[in-house]
Amino acid sequence: MPRNRKHLNVLLPVVVVLGIMLGLVAYAPTLYRVFCGATGYGGTTQRAYADPAVTSNKTVTVAFDTNVASDLPWRFEPEQRSVTVRLGEQKMVFFTAENLSNESIVSHATYNVTPDTSGPYFNKIQCFCFNEERLDPHQKIEMPVVFFVDPAFAEDPDNRAVDTITLSYTLLRSVNPSQSKNLSRFLPNAPPDPMHGKQLFSERCTACHALDTNKAGPLLGDVVGRKAGTVPGYHYSPALKNAGLVWSQDNLDRWLADPKKFVPGTRMPVRVLDAPSRHDLFAYLQAVSEERKNQLRSSPPPSDGEF
């Protein structure tokens, strides 16, 4: 065998191995986050888009711990030190952040739960920790976190003696400030964001709903201003079919906040506890409804044919 080919046979596997090693090093943080998110390793919480269909009578106390990096001039604290929740119950709590400086600053939250064994069962639906967050000078904001603890938590032998889960956050200066969202969206007078509503619809509604066709739930493309229980071909619960509602902004807001409370006997299982998300969802659905109405107005009438 020629000498050059021998060298090539030796060098090629070495180059391949080095390439794989360099790739693993480059993607190690991402791979680690994916691994932790999938397994709950190190107390990493899970992300969910709706609470489970069932709840348990068993309860657990969730305590809150907050920390701020020394180079971040923010005040950050929970509005409640702890809450007691039923397993499977969707719960909303609030944290307050205040920028003590004279400049806008972007932060990023790291988080985990203890004991570590609770990580696979602790699910967040809404959290400021999902984004890089910007706070304007001397601005103070209440930030919602919506979560639930999976009922399977009680069946895990490692958690049978656990009666308290501690959710901890640490705020750090962001390394990606250009990707930030403004925390002022949580202000009571903040205008609704239909683009965020579109994202929420994709994440939290499309498992059961579409804009154009009936799925597990009725189509929603023209829901704003529609009478409840009137989509052709959809089998409604008697409670909703006979409710006599028109889907106005107020009615949709109350429905999304707690459908079973608003219309007892309905089958709708999903709730959206935080008001800004409800307002953004309505803004998106309203925009879709208006677009469809405009299309109908601009469509030419059907031809009667030629005679």
Side-chain angles (χ1 to χ4, degrees), residues 209-221:
H209 293 279
L211 296 176
D212 300 306
T213 59
N214 294 329
K215 296 172 65 176
L219 63 88
L220 296 178

Side-chain angles (χ1 to χ4, degrees), residues 20-31:
I20 292 173
M21 292 176 66
L22 289 172
L24 288 173
V25 169
Y27 288 98
T30 300
L31 292 172

Side-chain angles (χ1 to χ4, degrees), residues 143-160:
M143 307 177 296
V145 173
V146 181
F147 69 91
F148 67 89
V149 181
D150 194 294
F153 170 83
E155 308 304 321
D156 188 331
D158 292 331
N159 291 315
R160 285 179 183 166

Side-chain angles (χ1 to χ4, degrees), residues 167-179:
L167 172 62
S168 297
Y169 289 102
T170 298
L171 290 187
L172 310 167
R173 277 186 178 266
S174 174
V175 295
N176 296 305
S178 63
Q179 304 298 317

Side-chain angles (χ1 to χ4, degrees), residues 25-45:
V25 169
Y27 288 98
T30 300
L31 292 172
Y32 183 75
R33 286 194 297 271
V34 171
F35 170 76
C36 291
T39 64
Y41 180 78
T44 302
T45 63

Side-chain angles (χ1 to χ4, degrees), residues 249-259 262 278:
Q249 181 172 1
D250 181 64
N251 283 338
L252 276 169
D253 188 72
R254 295 170 66 189
W255 170 261
L256 289 170
D258 195 336
F262 184 45
R278 296 198 302 272

Side-chain angles (χ1 to χ4, degrees), residues 152-203:
F153 170 83
E155 308 304 321
D156 188 331
D158 292 331
N159 291 315
R160 285 179 183 166
V162 176
D163 59 8
T164 300
I165 299 172
T166 300
L167 172 62
S168 297
Y169 289 102
T170 298
L171 290 187
L172 310 167
R173 277 186 178 266
S174 174
V175 295
N176 296 305
S178 63
Q179 304 298 317
S180 66
K181 301 184 72 173
N182 199 321
L183 281 169
S184 62
R185 68 187 186 276
F186 292 122
L187 290 171
N189 59 349
D193 181 356
M195 292 306 297
H196 182 236
K198 182 178 181 179
Q199 177 187 345
L200 289 171
F201 184 85
S202 175
E203 292 174 346

